[in-house]
Amino acid sequence: MENKLIYLYSLYELVRADMDKIKIPYTKNVPIKINPRAKRMHGCCRKVNGNFVIEISDFLLNYSKKEIMNTIAHELIHTCYGCFNHGKRFKYYCDKINQLGYNVTTTYKGKEVTQIQNEAKYLVMCENCNTKMYRMKKSKLITNSQLYRCSKCKGKLRVYKIIKK
């Protein structure tokens, strides 16, 4: 695990150097950790006691150097002022770093997404725009869907239990 962390930090430093070149105002000295339990995400940026912490999924370390660096850049952009979501400012910085050859997007549609769809127990669908969201667990969204709205169009959400054959 220590070798993986050394490798991760070496890529982290390369991404930081690129972001410094084009003056993206990310938060400096954000600790980066490997999350061995994460199965459905490549990385995440969290606030812990008012400070940012970046977690990278252990399975991502089996991917190419480029994909790992894209994920690190994505999470570092979240540390910029006004970028903790995927709004306009976040997308502006993505476009900026992508000019250096990165491919940073707001979401990732890879093989894990198909796996999630195959393993999901619930489908949440917008009645207005038909946006689909798959869920593995019976969360608040599943039990109280009337309290939530579609993030794209603000439409009502309907929950379906997926029955496996």
Side-chain angles (χ1 to χ4, degrees), residues 10 23 43 46 54 58 65 68 84 115 128 149 155:
S10 69
K23 297 182 175 36
R46 301 184 193 277
I54 293 174
D58 188 42
K65 175 181 169 182
I68 298 168
F84 205 59
Q115 181 181 349
N128 189 38
R149 293 282 182 250

Side-chain angles (χ1 to χ4, degrees), residues 99-129:
Q99 292 172 2
L100 295 181
Y102 285 79
N103 184 24
V104 179
T105 59
T106 55
T107 57
Y108 178 76
K109 300 271 192 237
K111 58 188 170 189
E112 293 79 26
V113 174
T114 306
Q115 181 181 349
I116 291 165
Q117 290 173 358
N118 292 337
E119 295 176 5
K121 294 179 182 171
Y122 302 95
L123 167 65
V124 182
M125 200 156 111
C126 175
E127 291 180 352
N128 189 38
C129 71

Side-chain angles (χ1 to χ4, degrees), residues 17-92:
D18 285 342
M19 291 177 95
D20 287 340
K21 272 186 223 170
I22 56 175
K23 297 182 175 36
I24 293 179
Y26 66 93
T27 302
K28 307 289 187 213
N29 301 320
V30 175
I32 190 166
K33 300 176 1 178
I34 297 173
N35 185 336
R37 294 181 356 208
K39 302 288 183 239
R40 299 185 311 165
M41 64 177 186
H42 284 186
C44 73
C45 180
R46 301 184 193 277
K47 278 189 180 176
V48 178
N49 298 325
N51 298 311
F52 291 107
V53 175
I54 293 174
E55 294 180 8
I56 300 296
S57 299
D58 188 42
F59 75 83
L60 181 66
L61 298 177
N62 298 320
Y63 284 42
S64 70
K65 175 181 169 182
K66 192 170 187 87
E67 288 203 54
I68 298 168
M69 290 175 70
N70 286 334
T71 301
I72 293 169
H74 175 109
E75 301 311 333
L76 265 179
I77 290 171
H78 278 307
T79 70
C80 298
Y81 175 78
C83 291
F84 205 59
N85 58 17
H86 293 135
K88 287 181 183 177
R89 185 173 287 180
F90 180 90
K91 290 174 185 168
Y92 168 77

